[in-house]
Amino acid sequence: MKLALVGIGKIALDQHVPAIAASPEWELAATVSRSGTVEGVEAFTRIEDMLEARPDIELVSLCLPPVPRFAAAQAALRAGRHLMLEKPPGATLSEVHALADLAQAQGVSLFATWHSRMAHAVAGAKAWLAGKTIREGRITWREDVRKWHPGQDWIFEAGGMGVFDPGINALSILTEILPDPVHLTGAELDFPANRQAPIAARLAFTQNIFADFDFRQEGPQTWDMEFSTDAGKLALRMGGNVIEIDGQPAGGEDSIMGEYPALYARMAELVRDGVSDVDLSPMVQVSDAFTLGRRNIVEDFEFQKETQ
Amino acid sequence: MKLALVGIGKIALDQHVPAIAASPEWELAATVSRSGTVEGVEAFTRIEDMLEARPDIELVSLCLPPVPRFAAAQAALRAGRHLMLEKPPGATLSEVHALADLAQAQGVSLFATWHSRMAHAVAGAKAWLAGKTIREGRITWREDVRKWHPGQDWIFEAGGMGVFDPGINALSILTEILPDPVHLTGAELDFPANRQAPIAARLAFTQNIFADFDFRQEGPQTWDMEFSTDAGKLALRMGGNVIEIDGQPAGGEDSIMGEYPALYARMAELVRDGVSDVDLSPMVQVSDAFTLGRRNIVEDFEFQKETQ
């Protein structure tokens, strides 16, 4: 089946293009981007032109930042194409509800992806936690925005989500593996004085679960989740790729595919079965943090460090 | 049927108590409040004590601020009581999803109320707009927080929602009457430097709809919505209580009951039919505004004006 990739930036080139190249089900038949291209693939600059020129393309996969994503998503669905959304699926919850309704009306499949849920150890962690009672949980998600999003100013604009861009990956795992749903009871968000999205956040949830998100982490990067239960301890490390039970490595690598290959395999399944997969709970948790959170103003952030 | 009213503050005394007194279906059998009471009604200070002492009370109606509301709501549902929530139904969307699931599991009715949807002209406006195309809309919701929420500091705390406490009333009407759903495309929120919730907000939606919410309006108060359509103009004034078509008063007073009597009548219906009514779309719009909105810092706000 043929697909078009829209938004040829870092995530498209690092993850989507290799995953599609390795897929037995999908062929990259076109790209849409103001400036990015993929060698040997027909390139468009406007999605409307691609949709008109290439009725043979069944799936549109969107890697645009959240704010401009809606118009492209709507155009693809209106043209009767299946649609796959990089996370987060939009800038607002309301627009994603509208896309889900539109996909249903058009009889096509919509997949709001959460790539971290496809990490190797997530399914194993969910299976281990089933039926257990959480006593305490601690999520530490600390990475260097300069390394992972070099110069990407959109991430700190209104709607760019700031540290919730990686933090939502942790929340997508949390909302997947817990036996009972959580909700936020308090949050603190640190906004740089010169930016419109937070650079760090501390979240308190029910079930004694706490999260520490920070975009200013130089040196070692941390994407860890640790839970104490009534029947032992579980840790997920490396963004859901490594599992430990009571401090010992515990395999649990239930998926043999990488995250993005697994997403494209799942998309093929959804199309075959004629269904959608739109779980907004990670994004609801982020919206709740923005609504409920206390805001602190912290020092300015620039991607370019001042030289001595 | 007997009910207990929890949170005996301004809204409970101004609206709920008279509405219940006038209801043919409900009897106010108990109150729960740290300090407030209603003459002639058994008063408790803890909801757990009321639930234990009064198994004859079928409905709990909560008028607490959003942040402390969840624990009381959960206690009532766990005790097998029907539950009615003042707007907004909670401090987070996730917790209201959890309450809806709990109500379903317990086999009781949950009603997330939006009193402004019961205003006299709302049903008429919805009927008139059906099948028409919106060209432009303008919502002006400007009131004096000192008049309507005197000294209520919680409204400016994190999770208190600030100007969205009245603004969500406009959004509850908007999401009820429009033929097609809207979503936010941009927002600006003004936070007083000494407060954690916005005192004013300007919202831009799809369908060329704009909203102007302000909590600093002295003198005349405004709760207006105006729409231009392909077949004329509609205005809703006085918070949804008065309707004009093409500038002329147009009756449209489809409900003869006041807003709160209509809510209690609807609650009785839900209990009779064994169903719930939990439409979170107004709250989703508010969460979207907090998530997507630009934040401006404006001057400090104090309830007590400085004397000369």
Side-chain angles (χ1 to χ4, degrees):
Chain A
M1 296 181 284
K2 291 175 186 171
L3 76 85
L5 198 54
V6 179
I8 307 298
K10 185 167 164 53
I11 191 75
L13 296 172
D14 287 356
Q15 299 289 350
H16 289 256
V17 171
I20 297 162
S23 165
E25 289 136 331
W26 296 108
E27 176 199 337
L28 181 57
T31 61
V32 179
S33 178
R34 272 175 305 185
S35 53
T37 59
V38 173
E39 212 190 310
V41 177
E42 188 178 13
F44 294 84
T45 54
R46 295 177 62 243
I47 189 169
E48 293 76 10
D49 297 338
M50 182 277 290
L51 292 167
E52 198 179 320
R54 297 295 304 267
D56 59 316
I57 289 177
E58 288 181 66
L59 170 65
V60 173
S61 179
L62 292 187
C63 304
L64 298 167
V67 170
R69 196 169 296 165
F70 179 80
Q74 193 178 39
L77 291 173
R78 284 185 174 161
R81 315 306 165 89
H82 304 293
L83 182 64
M84 182 164 158
L85 299 170
E86 209 3 303
K87 59 99 221 185
T92 62
L93 290 165
S94 306
E95 76 190 59
V96 189
H97 289 303
L99 292 178
D101 290 346
L102 181 55
Q104 189 167 25
Q106 293 284 75
V108 297
S109 296
L110 174 62
F111 185 15
T113 69
W114 303 106
H115 66 78
S116 290
R117 287 186 174 174
M118 299 299 192
H120 291 306
V122 169
K126 180 175 181 165
W128 190 86
L129 286 172
K132 297 192 173 71
T133 300
I134 306 286
R135 291 199 173 137
E136 195 179 57
R138 195 156 291 274
I139 301 168
T140 309
W141 224 254
R142 292 175 154 259
E143 63 177 58
D144 184 351
V145 66
R146 291 189 177 92
K147 176 175 165 67
W148 301 100
H149 299 279
Q152 293 181 26
D153 281 307
W154 65 264
I155 214 163
F156 285 116
E157 286 167 11
M161 291 207 176
V163 76
F164 287 102
D165 181 85
I168 204 170
N169 296 335
L171 297 172
S172 74
I173 296 175
L174 184 74
T175 50
E176 172 71 13
I177 65 176
L178 286 186
D180 295 306
V182 281
H183 66 261
L184 210 67
T185 55
E188 273 198 73
L189 313 184
D190 295 342
F191 288 79
N194 65 336
R195 300 284 182 172
Q196 283 288 345
I199 198 160
R202 292 161 300 285
L203 313 177
F205 296 93
T206 49
Q207 302 180 49
N208 283 318
I209 295 172
F210 298 88
D212 172 5
F213 297 162
D214 206 310
F215 236 164
R216 298 165 300 192
Q217 179 71 33
E218 301 185 3
Q221 309 280 292
T222 307
W223 301 281
D224 280 1
M225 311 178 76
E226 297 172 337
F227 298 94
S228 295
T229 76
D230 57 339
K233 292 185 180 196
L234 176 142
L236 270 175
R237 306 202 188 280
M238 308 287 290
N241 281 294
V242 170
I243 189 170
E244 293 171 7
I245 306 295
D246 294 324
Q248 300 303 311
E253 291 167 20
D254 294 70
S255 73
I256 50 166
M257 267 190 234
E259 295 176 16
Y260 283 82
L263 290 180
Y264 279 96
R266 171 91 177 122
M267 183 78 233
E269 243 177 60
L270 295 175
V271 170
R272 257 193 319 266
D273 297 347
V275 295
S276 287
D277 178 349
V278 184
D279 174 14
L280 296 186
S281 58
M283 194 169 161
V284 169
Q285 297 287 354
V286 172
S287 293
D288 285 345
F290 275 97
T291 308
L292 180 61
R294 292 182 60 83
R295 299 168 337 284
N296 304 314
I297 305 300
V298 299
E299 65 175 327
D300 281 6
F301 176 81
E302 302 295 349
F303 278 101
Q304 202 66 45
K305 282 194 189 180
E306 279 176 41
T307 50
Q308 298 297 319
Chain B
M1 297 181 284
K2 291 177 184 169
L3 75 85
L5 197 54
V6 179
I8 307 300
K10 184 166 164 52
I11 191 75
L13 296 172
D14 287 356
Q15 299 289 351
H16 289 257
V17 171
I20 297 162
S23 166
E25 289 135 330
W26 296 107
E27 176 198 339
L28 181 57
T31 61
V32 180
S33 177
R34 273 175 304 185
S35 52
T37 58
V38 174
E39 210 190 311
V41 177
E42 188 177 12
F44 295 84
T45 54
R46 296 177 62 244
I47 188 169
E48 294 77 10
D49 297 338
M50 181 278 289
L51 292 168
E52 200 180 319
R54 299 294 304 265
D56 59 317
I57 289 178
E58 289 181 65
L59 170 66
V60 173
S61 180
L62 292 187
C63 305
L64 298 167
V67 170
R69 196 169 297 165
F70 180 79
Q74 194 179 39
L77 291 174
R78 284 186 176 160
R81 315 303 165 91
H82 304 294
L83 182 64
M84 182 164 160
L85 299 170
E86 204 11 297
K87 59 98 223 185
T92 62
L93 291 164
S94 306
E95 77 191 58
V96 189
H97 290 305
L99 291 179
D101 290 346
L102 181 56
Q104 189 167 25
Q106 293 284 74
V108 296
S109 296
L110 174 62
F111 184 16
T113 68
W114 302 105
H115 65 81
S116 289
R117 286 185 174 174
M118 300 298 192
H120 291 306
V122 169
K126 179 175 181 165
W128 191 86
L129 286 172
K132 297 192 172 72
T133 300
I134 306 287
R135 292 199 172 136
E136 197 179 55
R138 195 157 291 276
I139 302 168
T140 309
W141 225 254
R142 292 174 155 261
E143 62 176 58
D144 184 352
V145 65
R146 291 188 177 92
K147 176 175 165 67
W148 301 99
H149 298 278
Q152 292 181 26
D153 281 309
W154 64 265
I155 215 164
F156 285 117
E157 285 166 12
M161 291 206 174
V163 76
F164 288 102
D165 182 85
I168 204 169
N169 296 336
L171 297 172
S172 74
I173 295 175
L174 183 73
T175 51
E176 172 71 13
I177 65 176
L178 286 187
D180 296 306
V182 281
H183 67 262
L184 209 67
T185 56
E188 274 197 72
L189 313 183
D190 296 342
F191 287 80
N194 64 338
R195 300 284 182 170
Q196 284 288 344
I199 197 160
R202 292 162 299 285
L203 313 177
F205 295 93
T206 49
Q207 303 180 47
N208 283 316
I209 295 173
F210 298 88
D212 171 4
F213 297 162
D214 205 311
F215 237 162
R216 298 165 300 193
Q217 179 71 33
E218 302 184 3
Q221 310 279 292
T222 307
W223 300 281
D224 279 2
M225 313 178 74
E226 296 173 337
F227 298 94
S228 295
T229 76
D230 58 339
K233 294 185 179 195
L234 176 141
L236 271 176
R237 306 203 188 281
M238 308 287 290
N241 281 296
V242 170
I243 190 170
E244 293 171 9
I245 306 295
D246 294 325
Q248 300 304 312
E253 289 167 22
D254 293 71
S255 73
I256 50 165
M257 265 190 235
E259 297 177 14
Y260 282 82
L263 291 178
Y264 279 96
R266 171 91 178 121
M267 183 79 233
E269 241 177 62
L270 294 175
V271 169
R272 257 194 316 268
D273 297 347
V275 295
S276 287
D277 179 348
V278 184
D279 173 14
L280 296 186
S281 58
M283 194 170 162
V284 168
Q285 297 287 356
V286 172
S287 293
D288 285 345
F290 275 97
T291 307
L292 181 60
R294 292 182 60 82
R295 300 169 334 286
N296 304 313
I297 305 300
V298 298
E299 66 175 326
D300 281 5
F301 176 81
E302 302 295 348
F303 278 101
Q304 202 66 44
K305 283 193 187 181
E306 278 175 45
T307 50
Q308 299 296 319

